Amino acid sequence: MQLSEDLAYLIGALRDGSVFYNRASRDYTIVWYEKNRRWLEDSIAKRVEKVFGKSTRISEYKPNQFRARFYSMEALKVFKNEFEFVSPQENWGTPKRIRNAEDKVIASYIAGFFDAEGDASKRNYVIGFSQKNRESLEFIREWLDKKGMKTSRIFVADKKSGTLRFCITSRENFRKIVSIIPFEHPIKVRIIDSLLQQT
């Protein structure tokens, strides 16, 4: 399958998702998880329709916890065979096709990754990327560094879960990252906008 910006975004966003075959129901399932339903509707479901021609079911499976699911053997094969998806995700590094992609595709992948697993804090004046897989963070960090951003080292954010993290600070870095990475998550974008306005 052609690696478009939309597909790259979905792959990045799968950092908070899963791909699996449900033997009980015989369904080939792709799912994304998120607290913000609007993001699933606008950024995930619309891309699934565009890339795979499939409709997505969005449901609240826990209070204030949503998931977007669709069923497709073709899509499952794409994510597993072409983009090397494995579970548990701490073993899923950056797919080779993403590594070798052009900048605009990588930027969309990073946007999806951040929208799913990143954070922004006005109080702490920081934008952060978190994930259990070190290599996936190293790839993003090195790519951002090459684009002129100064990033922190990768550190253990949570010893219990093994979650790793790196961040960027400073208005100059915030300006650079939003000029390159097309973030979409409505809450995170609003926080980043407020970071850019702080003095």
Side-chain angles (χ1 to χ4, degrees):
M1 175 171 277
Q2 181 181 356
L3 178 52
S4 63
E5 291 171 65
D6 288 314
L7 178 55
Y9 185 96
L10 291 173
I11 293 162
L14 266 179
R15 291 292 166 177
D16 195 3
S18 192
V19 175
F20 60 93
Y21 174 63
N22 187 329
R23 292 186 184 277
S25 59
R26 297 182 181 179
D27 287 325
Y28 297 88
T29 306
I30 297 89
V31 58
W32 290 263
Y33 301 98
E34 173 58 29
K35 293 179 180 177
N36 187 282
R37 184 182 187 117
R38 184 179 143 204
W39 177 71
L40 292 174
E41 292 170 344
D42 294 344
S43 295
I44 300 300
K46 288 180 181 178
R47 282 184 169 91
V48 168
E49 175 70 33
K50 184 176 179 181
V51 175
F52 295 103
K54 297 283 186 178
S55 59
T56 304
R57 180 182 175 189
I58 299 173
S59 60
E60 186 175 16
Y61 67 100
K62 293 180 182 177
N64 298 313
Q65 297 282 342
F66 299 92
R67 63 186 172 198
R69 290 182 291 175
F70 80 105
Y71 307 98
S72 168
M73 182 171 67
E74 176 203 0
L76 181 139
K77 287 180 177 179
V78 167
F79 289 123
K80 286 200 167 192
N81 298 341
E82 297 185 34
F83 297 97
E84 307 153 49
F85 181 91
V86 293
S87 183
Q89 284 209 34
E90 59 194 80
N91 298 320
W92 186 31
T94 308
K96 292 184 183 70
R97 290 189 64 191
I98 295 292
R99 285 184 155 279
N100 297 326
E102 56 188 330
D103 279 352
K104 65 180 183 178
V105 171
I106 293 174
S108 289
Y109 166 79
I110 294 173
F113 190 116
F114 175 84
D115 287 347
E117 289 282 68
D119 64 276
S121 170
K122 187 174 180 180
R123 185 182 68 177
N124 297 324
Y125 203 66
V126 67
I127 293 172
F129 289 79
S130 301
Q131 182 66 202
K132 291 182 181 179
N133 181 276
R134 178 177 287 273
E135 186 281 331
S136 67
L137 290 179
E138 287 174 346
F139 170 76
I140 293 173
R141 181 175 174 267
E142 289 168 7
W143 193 86
L144 294 176
D145 285 345
K146 288 176 184 176
K147 300 301 176 187
M149 276 157 270
K150 294 179 181 177
T151 59
S152 77
R153 63 181 178 81
I154 296 173
F155 58 93
V156 178
D158 182 35
K159 289 182 179 179
K160 186 175 181 181
S161 67
T163 301
L164 303 169
R165 175 177 166 85
F166 78 86
C167 354
I168 66 170
T169 59
S170 88
R171 186 188 292 184
E172 181 182 357
N173 282 323
F174 299 153
R175 283 176 176 161
K176 286 180 180 177
I177 200 167
V178 299
S179 72
I180 296 172
I181 309 298
F183 300 128
E184 294 183 10
H185 192 287
I187 295 172
K188 297 173 186 180
V189 166
R190 190 166 66 245
I191 295 171
I192 292 171
D193 286 343
S194 70
L195 290 174
L196 289 166
Q197 293 167 20
Q198 281 186 247
T199 56

